[in-house]
Amino acid sequence: MPAGTLYRGREGMWSWVAHRVTGVLIFFFLFVHVLDTALVRVSPEDYDKVVATYKTPIVALLEYGLVAAILFHALNGLRVIAVDFWSKGPRYQKQLLWSVVGLWLVLMIGAIYPVLGHAARVLFGS
């Protein structure tokens, strides 16, 4: 495969950027998650306070963003594998990218209620 084949075109550039950004966001989430989980051994009371903040509607929106980042990163990673290891992958990379975006949108719409349902009930009542 010639150099630069994987990310040719504007769509490829944005998928490259989105893949790196989502990877960094997931890394920082995991870092914070390890820290807040470690807090239980230092101060169980403070750990309980931190966990209580996770039940707020704002954090629910952040969780939805986390789901979006993980899902896009995973689907785009599969696309990158297909482009790298499938002989016809480079030829179909644009179609693969738009398939990833379409599947991501469908799954994100499906995740609205499971992830944000509790926050909506807190904000607007049952």
Side-chain angles (χ1 to χ4, degrees):
M1 173 175 10
T5 303
L6 181 59
Y7 296 109
R8 184 177 296 155
R10 189 173 312 189
E11 296 90 358
M13 177 190 68
W14 285 113
S15 72
W16 183 88
V17 169
H19 198 72
R20 273 39 181 197
V21 168
T22 56
V24 169
L25 291 172
I26 294 165
F27 170 80
F28 281 119
F29 163 77
L30 290 173
F31 181 72
V32 170
H33 180 62
V34 167
L35 289 178
D36 73 5
T37 304
L39 187 60
V40 76
R41 297 187 48 79
V42 177
S43 172
E45 298 82 22
D46 288 338
Y47 173 79
D48 290 339
K49 290 177 189 173
V50 169
V51 169
T53 65
Y54 293 164
K55 297 176 181 165
T56 63
I58 291 173
V59 174
L61 284 173
L62 293 173
E63 286 177 342
Y64 189 71
L66 177 64
V67 169
I70 291 171
L71 190 57
F72 179 81
H73 194 80
L75 293 172
N76 193 53
L78 292 173
R79 181 191 70 84
V80 169
I81 290 169
V83 170
D84 283 348
F85 293 106
W86 181 35
S87 62
K88 296 180 183 176
R91 186 178 324 151
Y92 294 110
Q93 65 179 320
K94 194 173 195 177
Q95 293 88 339
L96 289 169
L97 175 60
W98 287 112
S99 298
V100 162
V101 170
L103 181 58
W104 177 81
L105 281 171
V106 167
L107 293 172
M108 287 308 299
I109 289 168
I112 289 173
Y113 182 75
V115 178
L116 296 176
H118 176 71
R121 287 187 297 278
V122 167
L123 288 173
F124 306 112
S126 295

